[in-house]
Amino acid sequence: MTQRFNRNDLVARLVRAGELEVSGEDPAEAAAYFDTERFRFHGPDGFESDFAGLTAYFASVREAFDDRSIRRGIVVSEGDHMACQTWIEGTFVREFTQSPAGPLPPNGKRVVFDLINIFRWDDRGRLVEEWVRTDNRGLLRQLDSEGS
C-alpha cells in the first residue's frame, strides 16, 4: 500500500531534503526523499543528471562553500508537481569544481545561488524529477575571483 502525502507534508519533505543536501549531515536520510533509481535532474544549459550526479554536485558545493544555508520562498503545488523559489548561500573559500564554467578558485565572498525549481513527486512522497532555472551569468559574476 502506498502512502499519500498532503501538500504540507510534501513541502516539509522538500525543505528537509534541501537542508540535508546542503549540509551533508545525513546522506541516508537525504536519499530517502528521492527515488534514487529513477530520479532525473534537468538544469540550465541542457545539464542532465541522475541522483548520483546531483549528490556529487552538492558534495562539490559543500567542499567549496562554508557557512552554507538554504531557504525556500514561494511554493506552488499542483497535482504531483511543486514549484518554488530557492536560495542557497555560502562563503566561497575553496575551489568550486562543478561551477557552470568548470573549476574556479575561491574569492572569499558570500555567494547566493538564486533558483527556481520545479519538482515532481511519486505517490510515495519521493522526488523523481527536478527542473532548475538560474541566472548563471549572475552566479558566475559572484564567483569571479577578479571581482569584476
Side-chain angles (χ1 to χ4, degrees):
M1 183 172 147
T2 60
Q3 183 176 4
R4 300 302 287 176
F5 292 88
N6 66 35
R7 180 190 184 281
N8 291 339
D9 294 335
L10 292 175
V11 170
R13 291 175 67 78
L14 181 65
V15 168
R16 183 65 179 151
E19 291 169 349
L20 291 167
E21 289 288 353
V22 169
S23 73
E25 165 191 340
D26 188 340
E29 182 186 350
Y33 294 104
F34 293 84
D35 179 333
T36 59
E37 297 297 316
R38 294 184 345 185
F39 180 80
R40 293 295 171 260
F41 177 89
H42 314 283
D45 291 333
F47 178 76
E48 299 284 325
S49 184
D50 58 7
F51 180 73
L54 181 71
T55 300
Y57 174 77
F58 274 108
S60 77
V61 169
R62 292 190 301 270
E63 177 59 31
F65 298 89
D66 284 349
D67 306 316
R68 293 171 313 280
S69 65
I70 182 172
R71 292 179 293 123
R72 303 286 189 186
I74 296 169
V75 176
V76 178
S77 180
E78 182 176 320
D80 61 355
H81 288 82
M82 185 172 284
C84 72
Q85 299 168 297
T86 303
W87 297 273
I88 299 171
E89 299 183 40
T91 305
F92 187 19
V93 294
R94 287 173 294 281
E95 183 180 54
F96 186 21
T97 59
Q98 292 197 30
S99 90
L104 291 176
N107 64 13
K109 296 179 183 174
R110 191 82 178 152
V111 172
V112 179
F113 296 74
D114 185 353
L115 313 168
I116 296 291
N117 313 76
I118 301 172
F119 300 93
R120 186 170 63 88
W121 300 91
D122 68 10
D123 60 358
R124 296 172 58 193
R126 299 177 305 173
L127 294 165
V128 292
E129 205 161 11
E130 178 181 5
W131 296 263
V132 170
R133 291 295 170 255
T134 189
D135 175 8
N136 275 337
R137 186 174 177 184
L139 175 62
L140 288 169
R141 196 170 23 257
Q142 293 179 77
L143 295 171
D144 184 7
S145 62
E146 304 293 316
S148 51

